[in-house]
């Protein structure tokens, strides 16, 4: 009689569950990416050169509009990304300071609205060029309109791309300093760079030097360093664990359940 052998099939170990990204890490990663995206408009300094150097010739049909179109498109991206940094950060930021969090959102909205207004001036110039360039008798008026639209763009850009970042960086600098969710280096640079940029904006406003002069660029450098380095840090490292991030993660996880 053959012996009965009890063969138990081998058990298969359950695959380890994938560790989910915490809500605060998702926020820091998203905000970091959006901050880096806001730097895509840097090439506009070169893309807009044909317009700024010869606005009369441009609006009368000289040269190509491709560079200006790409520049305008990149500024729209910057505006949308700027709003995104404030909106994505808001649910966490309001736990640190509701006033500063709301102020950051409001400043970003104003900044983006002004960016869009400045872009509309350039797009209007290209529309006039397409519709009226070459029409007999309109050259003097068209040239005057081109200079007016360029002036509107220049002053609007001073408010959107230079003045409003002062408010934005003071608000977020306060939030970061108070919460210590990133190294103190970042808010300190913001607190140094924002007043320096404000002083430069006032100097430009009163005609001390042009908005694209070396002094203006130098004054804007600390703010640029703050925003770019903060974006890279948030992508690579994220927020430093603090009670506010732990509470945020717990509340979000409970809300999902």
């Amino acid at each position: 009689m053959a012996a009965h052998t009890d063969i138990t099939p081998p058990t298969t170990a359950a695959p380890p569950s994938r560790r989910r990204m915490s809500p605060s890490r998702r926020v820091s990663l998203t905000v970091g990416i959006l901050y880096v995206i806001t730097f895509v408009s840097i090439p506009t300094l070169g893309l807009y050169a044909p317009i700024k150097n010869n606005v009369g010739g441009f609006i009368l049909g000289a040269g190509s509009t491709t560079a200006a179109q790409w520049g305008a498109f990149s500024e729209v991206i910057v505006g949308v990304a700027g709003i995104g940094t404030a909106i994505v950060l808001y649910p966490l930021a309001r736990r640190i300071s509701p006033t500063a969090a709301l102020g950051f959102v409001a400043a970003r909205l104003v900044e983006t609205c002004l960016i869009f207004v400045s872009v509309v001036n350039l797009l209007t110039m290209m529309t006039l060029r397409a519709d009226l360039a070459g029409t007999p008798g309109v050259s003097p008026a068209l040239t005057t309109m081109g200079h007016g639209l360029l002036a509107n763009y220049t002053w609007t850009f001073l408010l959107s791309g230079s003045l409003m970042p002062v408010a934005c960086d003071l608000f977020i600098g306060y939030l970061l300093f108070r919460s210590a969710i990133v190294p103190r280096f970042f808010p300190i640079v913001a607190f140094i760079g924002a007043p320096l940029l404000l002083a430069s904006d006032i100097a430009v406003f009163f005609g001390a030097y042009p908005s694209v002069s070396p002094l203006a660029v130098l004054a804007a450098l600390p703010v640029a360093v703050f925003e770019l380095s903060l974006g890279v840090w948030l992508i690579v490292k994220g927020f430093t664990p603090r009670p506010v991030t732990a509470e945020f993660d717990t509340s979000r996880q409970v809300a999902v359940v």
Side-chain angles (χ1 to χ4, degrees):
M1 182 177 180
H4 176 70
T5 304
D6 185 13
I7 302 177
T8 304
T11 59
T12 304
S17 59
R18 182 185 300 178
R19 185 177 181 180
R20 297 179 60 184
M21 184 181 296
S22 67
S24 62
R25 182 64 184 118
R26 287 197 297 270
V27 169
S28 66
L29 180 61
T30 305
V31 172
I33 292 172
L34 290 172
Y35 256 112
V36 172
I37 289 175
T38 61
F39 283 82
V40 300
S41 65
I42 290 179
T44 57
L45 296 174
L47 295 174
Y48 293 156
I51 301 177
K52 295 181 178 180
N53 296 337
N54 185 18
V55 61
F58 177 82
I59 201 169
L60 293 176
S64 171
T65 62
T66 302
Q69 288 172 321
W70 278 110
F73 181 67
S74 69
E75 290 200 76
V76 172
I77 293 175
V78 168
V80 174
I83 291 179
T85 60
I87 293 177
V88 174
L89 186 61
Y90 180 76
L92 174 61
R94 69 180 180 180
R95 296 172 177 270
I96 303 168
S97 170
T99 302
L102 185 60
F104 184 46
V105 173
R108 279 299 202 192
L109 286 171
V110 173
E111 178 186 19
T112 299
C113 289
L114 290 171
I115 289 174
F116 287 174
V117 170
S118 67
V119 170
V120 166
N121 283 288
L122 291 179
L123 296 178
T124 301
M125 194 183 304
M126 286 186 276
T127 299
L128 292 174
R129 165 192 164 112
D131 293 345
L132 299 178
T135 303
V138 302
S139 295
L142 199 57
T143 301
T144 302
M145 293 179 68
H147 283 282
L149 289 168
L150 181 60
N152 286 338
Y153 172 83
T154 301
W155 285 111
T156 309
F157 178 81
L158 176 67
L159 299 177
S160 64
S162 195
L163 180 60
M164 291 312 303
V166 172
C168 292
D169 288 358
L170 288 176
F171 281 125
I172 193 172
Y174 173 77
L175 290 165
L176 297 177
F177 186 84
R178 181 174 176 178
S179 62
I181 55 177
V182 297
R184 288 296 171 89
F185 162 81
F186 294 104
I188 290 174
V189 173
F191 293 149
I192 294 172
L196 183 62
L197 183 57
L198 177 61
S200 177
D201 291 338
I202 294 173
V204 171
F205 184 84
F206 286 102
Y209 48 79
S211 59
V212 292
S213 66
L215 282 176
V217 174
L218 185 63
L221 189 58
V223 165
V225 169
F226 162 68
E227 295 188 356
L228 181 60
S229 60
L230 176 64
V232 173
W233 179 272
L234 293 179
I235 292 173
V236 177
K237 295 290 188 179
F239 295 130
T240 302
R242 291 287 184 265
V244 67
T245 57
E247 293 172 3
F248 177 77
D249 289 339
T250 301
S251 65
R252 288 287 163 148
Q253 290 167 355
V254 169
V256 170
V257 174

mmCIF file of all heavy atoms in Angstrom, residues 183-214:
data_model
loop_
_atom_site.group_PDB
_atom_site.id
_atom_site.type_symbol
_atom_site.label_atom_id
_atom_site.label_comp_id
_atom_site.label_asym_id
_atom_site.label_seq_id
_atom_site.Cartn_x
_atom_site.Cartn_y
_atom_site.Cartn_z
ATOM 1 N N PRO A 183 15.388 75.032 5.522
ATOM 2 C CA PRO A 183 16.491 75.691 6.235
ATOM 3 C C PRO A 183 16.334 77.206 6.264
ATOM 4 O O PRO A 183 15.811 77.812 5.328
ATOM 5 C CB PRO A 183 17.727 75.263 5.432
ATOM 6 C CG PRO A 183 17.342 73.939 4.838
ATOM 7 C CD PRO A 183 15.881 74.067 4.519
ATOM 8 N N ARG A 184 16.794 77.835 7.324
ATOM 9 C CA ARG A 184 16.619 79.258 7.523
ATOM 10 C C ARG A 184 17.326 80.098 6.460
ATOM 11 O O ARG A 184 17.034 81.290 6.309
ATOM 12 C CB ARG A 184 17.134 79.648 8.917
ATOM 13 C CG ARG A 184 16.230 79.157 10.047
ATOM 14 C CD ARG A 184 14.857 79.820 9.965
ATOM 15 N NE ARG A 184 13.889 79.250 10.881
ATOM 16 C CZ ARG A 184 13.702 79.673 12.125
ATOM 17 N NH1 ARG A 184 14.445 80.634 12.614
ATOM 18 N NH2 ARG A 184 12.763 79.109 12.876
ATOM 19 N N PHE A 185 18.243 79.488 5.741
ATOM 20 C CA PHE A 185 18.930 80.200 4.669
ATOM 21 C C PHE A 185 17.940 80.797 3.677
ATOM 22 O O PHE A 185 18.110 81.943 3.221
ATOM 23 C CB PHE A 185 19.881 79.233 3.942
ATOM 24 C CG PHE A 185 20.315 79.696 2.579
ATOM 25 C CD1 PHE A 185 21.339 80.618 2.432
ATOM 26 C CD2 PHE A 185 19.688 79.204 1.435
ATOM 27 C CE1 PHE A 185 21.731 81.052 1.169
ATOM 28 C CE2 PHE A 185 20.069 79.631 0.177
ATOM 29 C CZ PHE A 185 21.101 80.560 0.047
ATOM 30 N N PHE A 186 16.902 80.062 3.359
ATOM 31 C CA PHE A 186 15.968 80.501 2.317
ATOM 32 C C PHE A 186 15.188 81.754 2.719
ATOM 33 O O PHE A 186 15.188 82.747 1.982
ATOM 34 C CB PHE A 186 15.029 79.354 1.944
ATOM 35 C CG PHE A 186 15.725 78.203 1.291
ATOM 36 C CD1 PHE A 186 15.981 77.034 1.980
ATOM 37 C CD2 PHE A 186 16.149 78.294 -0.034
ATOM 38 C CE1 PHE A 186 16.631 75.971 1.376
ATOM 39 C CE2 PHE A 186 16.804 77.235 -0.654
ATOM 40 C CZ PHE A 186 17.049 76.081 0.055
ATOM 41 N N PRO A 187 14.495 81.767 3.853
ATOM 42 C CA PRO A 187 13.778 83.005 4.196
ATOM 43 C C PRO A 187 14.703 84.188 4.446
ATOM 44 O O PRO A 187 14.328 85.338 4.164
ATOM 45 C CB PRO A 187 12.993 82.631 5.456
ATOM 46 C CG PRO A 187 13.677 81.428 6.007
ATOM 47 C CD PRO A 187 14.224 80.697 4.833
ATOM 48 N N ILE A 188 15.910 83.941 4.939
ATOM 49 C CA ILE A 188 16.844 85.048 5.160
ATOM 50 C C ILE A 188 17.213 85.704 3.836
ATOM 51 O O ILE A 188 17.266 86.940 3.725
ATOM 52 C CB ILE A 188 18.097 84.551 5.918
ATOM 53 C CG1 ILE A 188 17.728 84.215 7.360
ATOM 54 C CG2 ILE A 188 19.196 85.604 5.884
ATOM 55 C CD1 ILE A 188 18.847 83.581 8.147
ATOM 56 N N VAL A 189 17.470 84.891 2.817
ATOM 57 C CA VAL A 189 17.773 85.444 1.497
ATOM 58 C C VAL A 189 16.571 86.225 0.969
ATOM 59 O O VAL A 189 16.731 87.290 0.355
ATOM 60 C CB VAL A 189 18.162 84.319 0.508
ATOM 61 C CG1 VAL A 189 18.302 84.862 -0.908
ATOM 62 C CG2 VAL A 189 19.464 83.671 0.939
ATOM 63 N N ALA A 190 15.367 85.728 1.217
ATOM 64 C CA ALA A 190 14.158 86.438 0.783
ATOM 65 C C ALA A 190 14.040 87.780 1.493
ATOM 66 O O ALA A 190 13.706 88.801 0.869
ATOM 67 C CB ALA A 190 12.921 85.589 1.056
ATOM 68 N N PHE A 191 14.334 87.810 2.797
ATOM 69 C CA PHE A 191 14.234 89.051 3.559
ATOM 70 C C PHE A 191 15.301 90.070 3.142
ATOM 71 O O PHE A 191 15.098 91.278 3.292
ATOM 72 C CB PHE A 191 14.358 88.764 5.056
ATOM 73 C CG PHE A 191 13.208 87.983 5.617
ATOM 74 C CD1 PHE A 191 13.391 87.113 6.686
ATOM 75 C CD2 PHE A 191 11.934 88.103 5.089
ATOM 76 C CE1 PHE A 191 12.328 86.394 7.221
ATOM 77 C CE2 PHE A 191 10.860 87.389 5.601
ATOM 78 C CZ PHE A 191 11.066 86.540 6.663
ATOM 79 N N ILE A 192 16.414 89.587 2.631
ATOM 80 C CA ILE A 192 17.447 90.497 2.121
ATOM 81 C C ILE A 192 17.112 90.953 0.707
ATOM 82 O O ILE A 192 17.232 92.144 0.368
ATOM 83 C CB ILE A 192 18.831 89.807 2.143
ATOM 84 C CG1 ILE A 192 19.267 89.534 3.584
ATOM 85 C CG2 ILE A 192 19.875 90.659 1.423
ATOM 86 C CD1 ILE A 192 20.527 88.699 3.694
ATOM 87 N N GLY A 193 16.690 90.008 -0.129
ATOM 88 C CA GLY A 193 16.476 90.306 -1.537
ATOM 89 C C GLY A 193 15.258 91.172 -1.807
ATOM 90 O O GLY A 193 15.293 92.040 -2.689
ATOM 91 N N ALA A 194 14.171 90.984 -1.048
ATOM 92 C CA ALA A 194 12.937 91.729 -1.310
ATOM 93 C C ALA A 194 13.112 93.238 -1.105
ATOM 94 O O ALA A 194 12.753 94.024 -1.992
ATOM 95 C CB ALA A 194 11.805 91.181 -0.451
ATOM 96 N N PRO A 195 13.664 93.703 0.019
ATOM 97 C CA PRO A 195 13.868 95.157 0.162
ATOM 98 C C PRO A 195 14.848 95.723 -0.864
ATOM 99 O O PRO A 195 14.675 96.857 -1.327
ATOM 100 C CB PRO A 195 14.418 95.299 1.583
ATOM 101 C CG PRO A 195 13.974 94.072 2.296
ATOM 102 C CD PRO A 195 13.988 92.992 1.262
ATOM 103 N N LEU A 196 15.870 94.932 -1.215
ATOM 104 C CA LEU A 196 16.830 95.391 -2.215
ATOM 105 C C LEU A 196 16.156 95.581 -3.566
ATOM 106 O O LEU A 196 16.382 96.582 -4.264
ATOM 107 C CB LEU A 196 17.978 94.381 -2.324
ATOM 108 C CG LEU A 196 19.120 94.734 -3.282
ATOM 109 C CD1 LEU A 196 19.818 96.004 -2.840
ATOM 110 C CD2 LEU A 196 20.119 93.574 -3.361
ATOM 111 N N LEU A 197 15.299 94.648 -3.933
ATOM 112 C CA LEU A 197 14.579 94.760 -5.192
ATOM 113 C C LEU A 197 13.592 95.915 -5.150
ATOM 114 O O LEU A 197 13.413 96.629 -6.147
ATOM 115 C CB LEU A 197 13.856 93.445 -5.498
ATOM 116 C CG LEU A 197 13.101 93.374 -6.831
ATOM 117 C CD1 LEU A 197 14.024 93.661 -8.002
ATOM 118 C CD2 LEU A 197 12.438 92.010 -6.994
ATOM 119 N N LEU A 198 12.945 96.116 -4.020
ATOM 120 C CA LEU A 198 12.021 97.238 -3.881
ATOM 121 C C LEU A 198 12.734 98.565 -4.062
ATOM 122 O O LEU A 198 12.224 99.471 -4.754
ATOM 123 C CB LEU A 198 11.340 97.188 -2.512
ATOM 124 C CG LEU A 198 10.386 98.337 -2.187
ATOM 125 C CD1 LEU A 198 9.232 98.379 -3.183
ATOM 126 C CD2 LEU A 198 9.862 98.209 -0.759
ATOM 127 N N ALA A 199 13.908 98.709 -3.465
ATOM 128 C CA ALA A 199 14.678 99.946 -3.619
ATOM 129 C C ALA A 199 15.055 100.167 -5.081
ATOM 130 O O ALA A 199 14.998 101.299 -5.584
ATOM 131 C CB ALA A 199 15.930 99.884 -2.740
ATOM 132 N N SER A 200 15.405 99.091 -5.768
ATOM 133 C CA SER A 200 15.743 99.203 -7.185
ATOM 134 C C SER A 200 14.527 99.594 -8.015
ATOM 135 O O SER A 200 14.627 100.421 -8.928
ATOM 136 C CB SER A 200 16.322 97.878 -7.690
ATOM 137 O OG SER A 200 16.594 97.938 -9.079
ATOM 138 N N ASP A 201 13.366 99.016 -7.699
ATOM 139 C CA ASP A 201 12.140 99.363 -8.429
ATOM 140 C C ASP A 201 11.800 100.845 -8.260
ATOM 141 O O ASP A 201 11.373 101.512 -9.211
ATOM 142 C CB ASP A 201 10.974 98.500 -7.935
ATOM 143 C CG ASP A 201 11.117 97.042 -8.317
ATOM 144 O OD1 ASP A 201 11.859 96.765 -9.274
ATOM 145 O OD2 ASP A 201 10.494 96.191 -7.670
ATOM 146 N N ILE A 202 11.987 101.354 -7.050
ATOM 147 C CA ILE A 202 11.725 102.777 -6.815
ATOM 148 C C ILE A 202 12.689 103.633 -7.626
ATOM 149 O O ILE A 202 12.297 104.663 -8.204
ATOM 150 C CB ILE A 202 11.830 103.093 -5.308
ATOM 151 C CG1 ILE A 202 10.715 102.375 -4.543
ATOM 152 C CG2 ILE A 202 11.755 104.600 -5.059
ATOM 153 C CD1 ILE A 202 10.832 102.489 -3.038
ATOM 154 N N ALA A 203 13.949 103.204 -7.693
ATOM 155 C CA ALA A 203 14.936 103.940 -8.482
ATOM 156 C C ALA A 203 14.572 103.932 -9.961
ATOM 157 O O ALA A 203 14.672 104.959 -10.648
ATOM 158 C CB ALA A 203 16.324 103.338 -8.265
ATOM 159 N N VAL A 204 14.128 102.800 -10.465
ATOM 160 C CA VAL A 204 13.705 102.718 -11.864
ATOM 161 C C VAL A 204 12.475 103.580 -12.092
ATOM 162 O O VAL A 204 12.372 104.290 -13.112
ATOM 163 C CB VAL A 204 13.419 101.242 -12.252
ATOM 164 C CG1 VAL A 204 12.774 101.169 -13.639
ATOM 165 C CG2 VAL A 204 14.707 100.429 -12.225
ATOM 166 N N PHE A 205 11.551 103.550 -11.159
ATOM 167 C CA PHE A 205 10.315 104.327 -11.285
ATOM 168 C C PHE A 205 10.606 105.818 -11.428
ATOM 169 O O PHE A 205 9.960 106.530 -12.219
ATOM 170 C CB PHE A 205 9.424 104.080 -10.069
ATOM 171 C CG PHE A 205 8.094 104.759 -10.129
ATOM 172 C CD1 PHE A 205 7.034 104.176 -10.797
ATOM 173 C CD2 PHE A 205 7.895 105.997 -9.515
ATOM 174 C CE1 PHE A 205 5.799 104.801 -10.861
ATOM 175 C CE2 PHE A 205 6.669 106.629 -9.582
ATOM 176 C CZ PHE A 205 5.614 106.028 -10.252
ATOM 177 N N PHE A 206 11.589 106.301 -10.698
ATOM 178 C CA PHE A 206 11.922 107.723 -10.747
ATOM 179 C C PHE A 206 13.023 108.050 -11.754
ATOM 180 O O PHE A 206 13.549 109.161 -11.761
ATOM 181 C CB PHE A 206 12.310 108.220 -9.358
ATOM 182 C CG PHE A 206 11.129 108.378 -8.433
ATOM 183 C CD1 PHE A 206 10.863 107.431 -7.461
ATOM 184 C CD2 PHE A 206 10.272 109.466 -8.554
ATOM 185 C CE1 PHE A 206 9.766 107.575 -6.612
ATOM 186 C CE2 PHE A 206 9.177 109.611 -7.709
ATOM 187 C CZ PHE A 206 8.924 108.667 -6.741
ATOM 188 N N GLY A 207 13.362 107.072 -12.588
ATOM 189 C CA GLY A 207 14.266 107.344 -13.695
ATOM 190 C C GLY A 207 15.740 107.342 -13.376
ATOM 191 O O GLY A 207 16.551 107.865 -14.154
ATOM 192 N N ALA A 208 16.136 106.746 -12.258
ATOM 193 C CA ALA A 208 17.553 106.716 -11.904
ATOM 194 C C ALA A 208 18.362 105.858 -12.872
ATOM 195 O O ALA A 208 19.490 106.181 -13.226
ATOM 196 C CB ALA A 208 17.727 106.199 -10.475
ATOM 197 N N TYR A 209 17.770 104.760 -13.314
ATOM 198 C CA TYR A 209 18.408 103.908 -14.320
ATOM 199 C C TYR A 209 17.332 103.025 -14.944
ATOM 200 O O TYR A 209 16.261 102.836 -14.364
ATOM 201 C CB TYR A 209 19.541 103.056 -13.734
ATOM 202 C CG TYR A 209 19.210 102.320 -12.456
ATOM 203 C CD1 TYR A 209 18.477 101.139 -12.475
ATOM 204 C CD2 TYR A 209 19.653 102.803 -11.229
ATOM 205 C CE1 TYR A 209 18.191 100.452 -11.320
ATOM 206 C CE2 TYR A 209 19.363 102.123 -10.056
ATOM 207 C CZ TYR A 209 18.644 100.958 -10.101
ATOM 208 O OH TYR A 209 18.363 100.267 -8.949
ATOM 209 N N PRO A 210 17.600 102.466 -16.157
ATOM 210 C CA PRO A 210 16.588 101.644 -16.841
ATOM 211 C C PRO A 210 16.345 100.325 -16.112
ATOM 212 O O PRO A 210 17.173 99.855 -15.332
ATOM 213 C CB PRO A 210 17.198 101.409 -18.233
ATOM 214 C CG PRO A 210 18.268 102.427 -18.371
ATOM 215 C CD PRO A 210 18.783 102.704 -16.998
ATOM 216 N N SER A 211 15.209 99.718 -16.419
ATOM 217 C CA SER A 211 14.838 98.460 -15.764
ATOM 218 C C SER A 211 15.705 97.289 -16.201
ATOM 219 O O SER A 211 15.686 96.238 -15.546
ATOM 220 C CB SER A 211 13.368 98.135 -16.048
ATOM 221 O OG SER A 211 13.143 98.029 -17.447
ATOM 222 N N VAL A 212 16.436 97.429 -17.291
ATOM 223 C CA VAL A 212 17.301 96.337 -17.764
ATOM 224 C C VAL A 212 18.773 96.683 -17.587
ATOM 225 O O VAL A 212 19.630 96.060 -18.188
ATOM 226 C CB VAL A 212 17.017 96.013 -19.251
ATOM 227 C CG1 VAL A 212 15.646 95.399 -19.415
ATOM 228 C CG2 VAL A 212 17.161 97.263 -20.119
ATOM 229 N N SER A 213 19.080 97.648 -16.751
ATOM 230 C CA SER A 213 20.459 98.050 -16.520
ATOM 231 C C SER A 213 21.167 97.036 -15.618
ATOM 232 O O SER A 213 20.516 96.242 -14.930
ATOM 233 C CB SER A 213 20.497 99.432 -15.869
ATOM 234 O OG SER A 213 19.929 99.370 -14.568
ATOM 235 N N PRO A 214 22.505 97.046 -15.592
ATOM 236 C CA PRO A 214 23.230 96.116 -14.704
ATOM 237 C C PRO A 214 22.851 96.267 -13.240
ATOM 238 O O PRO A 214 22.789 95.275 -12.505
ATOM 239 C CB PRO A 214 24.693 96.499 -14.945
ATOM 240 C CG PRO A 214 24.723 97.057 -16.336
ATOM 241 C CD PRO A 214 23.413 97.773 -16.495
#
